[in-house]
Amino acid sequence: KIIAQAIQEGKKIDEISKKYIKAFFDDIKKLEIQKGTHHPKATEYVQQMIDAIKKMVDKGFAYEKNGDVFFAVKKIKNYGALSGKNIDELMSGARVEENTEKQFFGDFVLWKKAKPGEPKWKSPWGEGRPGWHTECVVMSQDLLKGTFDIHAGGNDLIFPHHENEIAQAEALTGEPLANYWMHNGFVNIDGEKMSKSLGNFKTVRDILGHYPAEAIRHFYLAKHYRSPIDFSPETIK
């Protein structure tokens, strides 16, 4: 999405990134949310990602085909354990990119060969860029030094993102990625999931223009984190 936005606006990718990074930190400051200990950038970890991908290839968990590198999910015995489904069930409900280079349709990309107009780095498989599932694993392994306690995220990340993170961590270290997984429900607008495609999207700064930060914080805390929460002006009032 960052690449597409940069092309659309005729700007450099780091310009787009810096704009939204600043917006994020401005918003959490207004909401009185403390910063994390680390806020790593994926572009600062590309060499470590290349090293990790090479290690997975060398260990037989991944393979290269025409400049792309894929993770072989069938090499992981418990792939799908987080979501409690088998591979075929998971794939039937997921948006999987069509790629005829894969050995198995559920294999996911670790390294993408370069396309015109996209950022690229040199690697043993040619110029390209890492897949986004690999970014999270490499950064967390570097900063948290192995298995950590709590991994959080939205319900929509359970598959494929979190399953793919787990698979890579186990392939690289033989250890679990995290001990506990906490997945939060969605914010709904009038009973429908908030999304740009539905046109019912509201930003933090939109809402902060009408309501105090304390009210917004209390709104989120008033419901269990795993449950969806319905946003409406009446509820906030």
Side-chain angles (χ1 to χ4, degrees), residues 21 37-45 135-136 139-140 142-143:
I21 289 169
T37 308
H38 304 286
H39 290 278
K41 297 183 181 72
T43 49
E44 295 171 351
Y45 279 81
E135 298 170 0
C136 300
M139 292 189 290
S140 64
D142 177 64
L143 295 169

Side-chain angles (χ1 to χ4, degrees), residues 177-237:
L177 177 64
N179 290 323
Y180 303 97
W181 291 82
M182 298 177 69
H183 293 99
N184 58 277
F186 298 123
V187 179
N188 295 329
I189 304 289
D190 298 323
E192 287 191 292
K193 178 188 170 185
M194 184 171 73
S195 68
K196 288 184 179 178
S197 60
L198 292 174
N200 63 353
F201 191 82
K202 294 182 185 295
T203 65
V204 169
R205 56 193 57 196
D206 290 338
I207 299 167
L208 280 169
H210 298 91
Y211 310 106
E214 292 88 345
I216 296 168
R217 288 172 62 92
H218 183 72
F219 163 74
Y220 280 109
L221 290 168
K223 199 155 188 183
H224 193 281
Y225 77 93
R226 282 203 305 266
S227 303
I229 190 164
D230 199 56
F231 178 88
S232 69
E234 292 74 26
T235 308
I236 295 289
K237 286 174 184 176

Side-chain angles (χ1 to χ4, degrees), residues 10 25 32 41 61 86 101 147 155 164 167 182 185:
F25 285 119
E32 300 179 33
K41 297 183 181 72
F61 288 100
N86 65 42
E101 306 289 357
T147 303
N155 282 331
N164 293 351
M182 298 177 69

